[in-house]
Amino acid sequence: MVKIMTTFTVKIEQDEDGIYVASVPELPGCHTQAQTLDELNYRVKESIELYLEVISESKFVESGI
């Protein structure tokens, strides 16, 4: 498997309860939340990977592969 490095913008906000919320504007619907920035960093990377995996799989289904 070939891994391609891509850079995405990650928007991080902190809600009124102190929870960090991250979204990736280039990937609609790709967002996550966590109590710490370290945990958020891990979760946002995981969310991006899963988002791209689902998109990749759906392209195979649409093409009939």
Side-chain angles (χ1 to χ4, degrees):
M1 173 183 243
V2 176
K3 288 204 173 205
I4 299 172
M5 296 296 291
T6 304
T7 302
F8 293 102
T9 301
V10 177
K11 181 180 174 185
I12 299 174
E13 299 178 287
Q14 192 171 23
D15 72 11
E16 61 276 355
D17 297 323
I19 303 296
Y20 293 100
V21 180
S23 60
V24 184
E26 296 95 340
L27 305 175
C30 184
H31 53 271
T32 190
Q33 62 184 22
Q35 292 184 350
T36 67
L37 288 173
D38 285 339
E39 184 180 11
L40 187 69
N41 186 44
Y42 173 79
R43 287 185 176 186
V44 76
K45 287 177 184 178
E46 181 180 51
S47 295
I48 291 169
E49 289 173 0
L50 292 171
Y51 186 101
L52 296 175
E53 183 179 315
V54 168
I55 294 298
S56 177
E57 288 174 1
S58 68
K59 286 183 181 179
F60 283 122
V61 170
E62 289 173 8
S63 67
I65 296 175

